[in-house]
Amino acid sequence: MQHSEQRRPGTESPPATDYALEARGISKSFSGFYAVKNVDLKIRRGSVHALIGPNGAGKTTCFNMLTKALQPTTGQILLGGRDISRLPTSDVARLGLVRSFQISATFPHLTCLENVRVALQSKYGRSFHFWRSLGVLSDLNDRAMHLLGKVGLTDAASLPASDLSYGKKRALEIATTLALDPSVMLLDEPTAGMGHEDIEPITDLIAKVSKDRTIVIIEHNLSVVSTLSERITVLKQGEVLTEGTYAEVSNDPEVITAYMGGVDEL
């Protein structure tokens, strides 16, 4: 007698969809206070989609729910049409949804090559076995060097990450994220703290790596948003205020009012 295969929730083949990532009515409450309330997002496959809003608008909470660092109080999250609402963060990352630019994104005392190789080990299930020769990792070196080349760090391969400039550390973080082969990258304020000399190269790099994947970005620098994003969702007090192109949202009276008096300027 044949037995039907048992699948874990979230492992079913997803239906065909134009959207790489969707949020349907997601909310997050903390002791009755809603940091995010009934947010809908539709991130078109292959696009760069920005999430903006004044400080305290709920952007980071949304990111945390999308990557499952926080479990939504209500609502549903779909990755390529697959329901990931109840999956843990590790499973979501293995399915191709990866968040970058977190505080401890690289190992400062490892070289750039070693940082990328660690990420490749994670992707391919090569756990650390300290009693085995380092030669077992040599097959990952070519792939790591290829990724360093994509972000302009070939000449820095043997340098410790701590020796890099701030902008090049961000580039290394992109390389380690790419090592996980994500279909959807969530970038949390990638140009935060950068000088003007670093912003343009990182913006160009993000545009380059977006050509074969979907990117969702939180970014306070609205010049960067206007350069990169095809679609923008504006949050205010945890709810969607409006959505559209940069030209549409930057001329929306409600958006202008939401930003007045804040740190950000449209």
Side-chain angles (χ1 to χ4, degrees), residues 7 24 39 48 57 63 81 88-89 97 100 117 137 156 158 162 171 187 195 208 230 240 263:
R7 295 179 182 267
R24 298 178 179 176
V39 165
V48 179
F63 256 39
T89 303
L97 176 61
S100 187
R117 197 169 62 189
L137 301 180
S158 61
S162 58
L187 307 184
K208 177 182 175 182
E230 300 159 42
V240 175
V263 175

PDB file of all heavy atoms in Angstrom, residues 7 24 39 48 57 63 81 88-89 97 100 117 137 156 158 162 171 187 195 208 230 240 263:
ATOM      1  N   ARG A   7       4.390  16.251   4.356  1.00  0.00           N
ATOM      2  CA  ARG A   7       5.180  17.455   4.161  1.00  0.00           C
ATOM      3  C   ARG A   7       5.028  18.379   5.363  1.00  0.00           C
ATOM      4  O   ARG A   7       3.952  18.499   5.932  1.00  0.00           O
ATOM      5  CB  ARG A   7       4.724  18.224   2.911  1.00  0.00           C
ATOM      6  CG  ARG A   7       4.942  17.475   1.602  1.00  0.00           C
ATOM      7  CD  ARG A   7       4.440  18.321   0.448  1.00  0.00           C
ATOM      8  NE  ARG A   7       4.581  17.640  -0.835  1.00  0.00           N
ATOM      9  CZ  ARG A   7       5.625  17.763  -1.625  1.00  0.00           C
ATOM     10  NH1 ARG A   7       6.614  18.543  -1.268  1.00  0.00           N
ATOM     11  NH2 ARG A   7       5.680  17.136  -2.767  1.00  0.00           N
ATOM     12  N   ARG A  24       0.053  39.658   3.919  1.00  0.00           N
ATOM     13  CA  ARG A  24      -1.385  39.834   3.872  1.00  0.00           C
ATOM     14  C   ARG A  24      -1.925  40.133   5.267  1.00  0.00           C
ATOM     15  O   ARG A  24      -2.041  39.249   6.108  1.00  0.00           O
ATOM     16  CB  ARG A  24      -2.053  38.572   3.314  1.00  0.00           C
ATOM     17  CG  ARG A  24      -1.647  38.245   1.877  1.00  0.00           C
ATOM     18  CD  ARG A  24      -2.294  36.966   1.379  1.00  0.00           C
ATOM     19  NE  ARG A  24      -1.932  36.673  -0.007  1.00  0.00           N
ATOM     20  CZ  ARG A  24      -2.304  35.577  -0.657  1.00  0.00           C
ATOM     21  NH1 ARG A  24      -3.038  34.636  -0.031  1.00  0.00           N
ATOM     22  NH2 ARG A  24      -1.937  35.390  -1.913  1.00  0.00           N
ATOM     23  N   VAL A  39      -0.898  45.362   7.674  1.00  0.00           N
ATOM     24  CA  VAL A  39      -0.076  45.794   6.539  1.00  0.00           C
ATOM     25  C   VAL A  39      -0.134  44.762   5.420  1.00  0.00           C
ATOM     26  O   VAL A  39       0.072  43.565   5.649  1.00  0.00           O
ATOM     27  CB  VAL A  39       1.380  46.031   6.980  1.00  0.00           C
ATOM     28  CG1 VAL A  39       2.309  46.127   5.767  1.00  0.00           C
ATOM     29  CG2 VAL A  39       1.475  47.301   7.820  1.00  0.00           C
ATOM     30  N   VAL A  48      13.061  46.137  -7.113  1.00  0.00           N
ATOM     31  CA  VAL A  48      13.560  46.730  -5.878  1.00  0.00           C
ATOM     32  C   VAL A  48      12.399  47.524  -5.276  1.00  0.00           C
ATOM     33  O   VAL A  48      11.879  48.445  -5.905  1.00  0.00           O
ATOM     34  CB  VAL A  48      14.760  47.655  -6.117  1.00  0.00           C
ATOM     35  CG1 VAL A  48      15.227  48.265  -4.797  1.00  0.00           C
ATOM     36  CG2 VAL A  48      15.903  46.900  -6.780  1.00  0.00           C
ATOM     37  N   ALA A  57       7.691  54.386  12.389  1.00  0.00           N
ATOM     38  CA  ALA A  57       6.578  54.034  11.506  1.00  0.00           C
ATOM     39  C   ALA A  57       6.296  52.534  11.461  1.00  0.00           C
ATOM     40  O   ALA A  57       5.254  52.114  10.961  1.00  0.00           O
ATOM     41  CB  ALA A  57       6.851  54.544  10.086  1.00  0.00           C
ATOM     42  N   PHE A  63      10.114  44.288   8.784  1.00  0.00           N
ATOM     43  CA  PHE A  63      11.235  43.466   8.349  1.00  0.00           C
ATOM     44  C   PHE A  63      11.386  42.252   9.254  1.00  0.00           C
ATOM     45  O   PHE A  63      11.624  41.134   8.777  1.00  0.00           O
ATOM     46  CB  PHE A  63      12.517  44.295   8.363  1.00  0.00           C
ATOM     47  CG  PHE A  63      12.976  44.733   7.005  1.00  0.00           C
ATOM     48  CD1 PHE A  63      12.061  45.130   6.043  1.00  0.00           C
ATOM     49  CD2 PHE A  63      14.314  44.770   6.672  1.00  0.00           C
ATOM     50  CE1 PHE A  63      12.480  45.548   4.790  1.00  0.00           C
ATOM     51  CE2 PHE A  63      14.751  45.179   5.427  1.00  0.00           C
ATOM     52  CZ  PHE A  63      13.826  45.569   4.480  1.00  0.00           C
ATOM     53  N   GLY A  81       4.655  32.559  -3.285  1.00  0.00           N
ATOM     54  CA  GLY A  81       3.380  31.857  -3.221  1.00  0.00           C
ATOM     55  C   GLY A  81       3.307  30.787  -2.154  1.00  0.00           C
ATOM     56  O   GLY A  81       2.245  30.200  -1.929  1.00  0.00           O
ATOM     57  N   PRO A  88      10.203  28.831  11.078  1.00  0.00           N
ATOM     58  CA  PRO A  88      11.245  29.565  11.811  1.00  0.00           C
ATOM     59  C   PRO A  88      12.187  30.279  10.852  1.00  0.00           C
ATOM     60  O   PRO A  88      12.244  29.990   9.653  1.00  0.00           O
ATOM     61  CB  PRO A  88      11.974  28.456  12.574  1.00  0.00           C
ATOM     62  CG  PRO A  88      11.756  27.223  11.764  1.00  0.00           C
ATOM     63  CD  PRO A  88      10.390  27.368  11.156  1.00  0.00           C
ATOM     64  N   THR A  89      12.960  31.215  11.408  1.00  0.00           N
ATOM     65  CA  THR A  89      13.878  32.028  10.611  1.00  0.00           C
ATOM     66  C   THR A  89      14.840  31.177   9.796  1.00  0.00           C
ATOM     67  O   THR A  89      15.116  31.473   8.632  1.00  0.00           O
ATOM     68  CB  THR A  89      14.681  32.958  11.538  1.00  0.00           C
ATOM     69  OG1 THR A  89      13.775  33.757  12.293  1.00  0.00           O
ATOM     70  CG2 THR A  89      15.590  33.868  10.743  1.00  0.00           C
ATOM     71  N   LEU A  97      14.993  33.621   1.523  1.00  0.00           N
ATOM     72  CA  LEU A  97      14.706  34.966   2.023  1.00  0.00           C
ATOM     73  C   LEU A  97      15.750  35.315   3.079  1.00  0.00           C
ATOM     74  O   LEU A  97      15.772  34.733   4.158  1.00  0.00           O
ATOM     75  CB  LEU A  97      13.298  35.016   2.633  1.00  0.00           C
ATOM     76  CG  LEU A  97      12.860  36.328   3.289  1.00  0.00           C
ATOM     77  CD1 LEU A  97      12.849  37.462   2.281  1.00  0.00           C
ATOM     78  CD2 LEU A  97      11.482  36.177   3.921  1.00  0.00           C
ATOM     79  N   SER A 100      20.072  41.261   5.217  1.00  0.00           N
ATOM     80  CA  SER A 100      21.459  41.692   5.303  1.00  0.00           C
ATOM     81  C   SER A 100      21.568  42.990   6.076  1.00  0.00           C
ATOM     82  O   SER A 100      20.571  43.626   6.401  1.00  0.00           O
ATOM     83  CB  SER A 100      22.030  41.882   3.891  1.00  0.00           C
ATOM     84  OG  SER A 100      23.402  42.146   3.938  1.00  0.00           O
ATOM     85  N   ARG A 117      33.567  32.395   2.809  1.00  0.00           N
ATOM     86  CA  ARG A 117      33.604  30.935   2.852  1.00  0.00           C
ATOM     87  C   ARG A 117      32.742  30.388   3.983  1.00  0.00           C
ATOM     88  O   ARG A 117      32.086  29.346   3.829  1.00  0.00           O
ATOM     89  CB  ARG A 117      35.053  30.458   2.994  1.00  0.00           C
ATOM     90  CG  ARG A 117      35.242  28.989   2.632  1.00  0.00           C
ATOM     91  CD  ARG A 117      36.715  28.652   2.536  1.00  0.00           C
ATOM     92  NE  ARG A 117      37.394  28.845   3.807  1.00  0.00           N
ATOM     93  CZ  ARG A 117      38.714  28.791   3.954  1.00  0.00           C
ATOM     94  NH1 ARG A 117      39.499  28.584   2.905  1.00  0.00           N
ATOM     95  NH2 ARG A 117      39.273  28.957   5.144  1.00  0.00           N
ATOM     96  N   LEU A 137      37.964  22.537   2.540  1.00  0.00           N
ATOM     97  CA  LEU A 137      37.260  23.774   2.207  1.00  0.00           C
ATOM     98  C   LEU A 137      37.768  24.408   0.914  1.00  0.00           C
ATOM     99  O   LEU A 137      37.217  25.393   0.452  1.00  0.00           O
ATOM    100  CB  LEU A 137      37.426  24.794   3.344  1.00  0.00           C
ATOM    101  CG  LEU A 137      36.912  24.367   4.712  1.00  0.00           C
ATOM    102  CD1 LEU A 137      37.162  25.480   5.720  1.00  0.00           C
ATOM    103  CD2 LEU A 137      35.434  24.022   4.660  1.00  0.00           C
ATOM    104  N   ALA A 156      41.159  42.578  -1.739  1.00  0.00           N
ATOM    105  CA  ALA A 156      41.096  42.594  -0.274  1.00  0.00           C
ATOM    106  C   ALA A 156      40.858  41.204   0.307  1.00  0.00           C
ATOM    107  O   ALA A 156      40.626  41.074   1.506  1.00  0.00           O
ATOM    108  CB  ALA A 156      39.987  43.538   0.195  1.00  0.00           C
ATOM    109  N   SER A 158      42.621  38.751   1.286  1.00  0.00           N
ATOM    110  CA  SER A 158      43.438  38.283   2.409  1.00  0.00           C
ATOM    111  C   SER A 158      43.450  39.253   3.590  1.00  0.00           C
ATOM    112  O   SER A 158      44.086  38.984   4.608  1.00  0.00           O
ATOM    113  CB  SER A 158      44.877  38.039   1.950  1.00  0.00           C
ATOM    114  OG  SER A 158      45.455  39.240   1.463  1.00  0.00           O
ATOM    115  N   SER A 162      38.180  43.644   9.679  1.00  0.00           N
ATOM    116  CA  SER A 162      38.332  44.828  10.524  1.00  0.00           C
ATOM    117  C   SER A 162      39.177  45.911   9.868  1.00  0.00           C
ATOM    118  O   SER A 162      39.127  47.075  10.273  1.00  0.00           O
ATOM    119  CB  SER A 162      38.949  44.446  11.875  1.00  0.00           C
ATOM    120  OG  SER A 162      40.213  43.820  11.685  1.00  0.00           O
ATOM    121  N   ALA A 171      30.112  46.238   1.485  1.00  0.00           N
ATOM    122  CA  ALA A 171      30.268  45.416   0.288  1.00  0.00           C
ATOM    123  C   ALA A 171      30.532  43.963   0.668  1.00  0.00           C
ATOM    124  O   ALA A 171      30.000  43.030   0.046  1.00  0.00           O
ATOM    125  CB  ALA A 171      31.395  45.957  -0.583  1.00  0.00           C
ATOM    126  N   LEU A 187      17.354  44.458   2.753  1.00  0.00           N
ATOM    127  CA  LEU A 187      18.477  45.300   3.138  1.00  0.00           C
ATOM    128  C   LEU A 187      17.981  46.378   4.095  1.00  0.00           C
ATOM    129  O   LEU A 187      17.162  47.216   3.736  1.00  0.00           O
ATOM    130  CB  LEU A 187      19.119  45.951   1.911  1.00  0.00           C
ATOM    131  CG  LEU A 187      19.530  45.017   0.768  1.00  0.00           C
ATOM    132  CD1 LEU A 187      20.244  45.811  -0.324  1.00  0.00           C
ATOM    133  CD2 LEU A 187      20.418  43.892   1.280  1.00  0.00           C
ATOM    134  N   GLY A 195      29.648  58.073   4.655  1.00  0.00           N
ATOM    135  CA  GLY A 195      29.972  59.362   4.074  1.00  0.00           C
ATOM    136  C   GLY A 195      29.542  59.384   2.614  1.00  0.00           C
ATOM    137  O   GLY A 195      29.254  58.345   2.008  1.00  0.00           O
ATOM    138  N   LYS A 208      23.453  46.606  -9.109  1.00  0.00           N
ATOM    139  CA  LYS A 208      24.078  45.506  -9.860  1.00  0.00           C
ATOM    140  C   LYS A 208      23.553  44.147  -9.406  1.00  0.00           C
ATOM    141  O   LYS A 208      23.186  43.307 -10.233  1.00  0.00           O
ATOM    142  CB  LYS A 208      25.592  45.587  -9.696  1.00  0.00           C
ATOM    143  CG  LYS A 208      26.368  44.469 -10.367  1.00  0.00           C
ATOM    144  CD  LYS A 208      27.868  44.617 -10.087  1.00  0.00           C
ATOM    145  CE  LYS A 208      28.659  43.460 -10.644  1.00  0.00           C
ATOM    146  NZ  LYS A 208      30.112  43.581 -10.328  1.00  0.00           N
ATOM    147  N   GLU A 230      11.714  50.748  -7.691  1.00  0.00           N
ATOM    148  CA  GLU A 230      10.649  50.810  -8.668  1.00  0.00           C
ATOM    149  C   GLU A 230       9.297  51.052  -8.005  1.00  0.00           C
ATOM    150  O   GLU A 230       8.385  51.610  -8.609  1.00  0.00           O
ATOM    151  CB  GLU A 230      10.607  49.500  -9.467  1.00  0.00           C
ATOM    152  CG  GLU A 230      11.907  49.228 -10.207  1.00  0.00           C
ATOM    153  CD  GLU A 230      12.073  47.764 -10.560  1.00  0.00           C
ATOM    154  OE1 GLU A 230      11.081  47.144 -10.993  1.00  0.00           O
ATOM    155  OE2 GLU A 230      13.189  47.245 -10.389  1.00  0.00           O
ATOM    156  N   VAL A 240      -0.010  51.212   6.446  1.00  0.00           N
ATOM    157  CA  VAL A 240       0.354  51.690   5.115  1.00  0.00           C
ATOM    158  C   VAL A 240      -0.353  53.011   4.850  1.00  0.00           C
ATOM    159  O   VAL A 240      -1.581  53.095   4.905  1.00  0.00           O
ATOM    160  CB  VAL A 240      -0.008  50.661   4.034  1.00  0.00           C
ATOM    161  CG1 VAL A 240       0.259  51.233   2.642  1.00  0.00           C
ATOM    162  CG2 VAL A 240       0.789  49.368   4.213  1.00  0.00           C
ATOM    163  N   VAL A 263      13.123  63.742  10.778  1.00  0.00           N
ATOM    164  CA  VAL A 263      14.520  63.758  10.349  1.00  0.00           C
ATOM    165  C   VAL A 263      14.603  63.695   8.830  1.00  0.00           C
ATOM    166  O   VAL A 263      15.477  64.267   8.199  1.00  0.00           O
ATOM    167  CB  VAL A 263      15.275  62.574  10.964  1.00  0.00           C
ATOM    168  CG1 VAL A 263      16.710  62.508  10.439  1.00  0.00           C
ATOM    169  CG2 VAL A 263      15.267  62.697  12.490  1.00  0.00           C
TER     170      VAL A 263
END
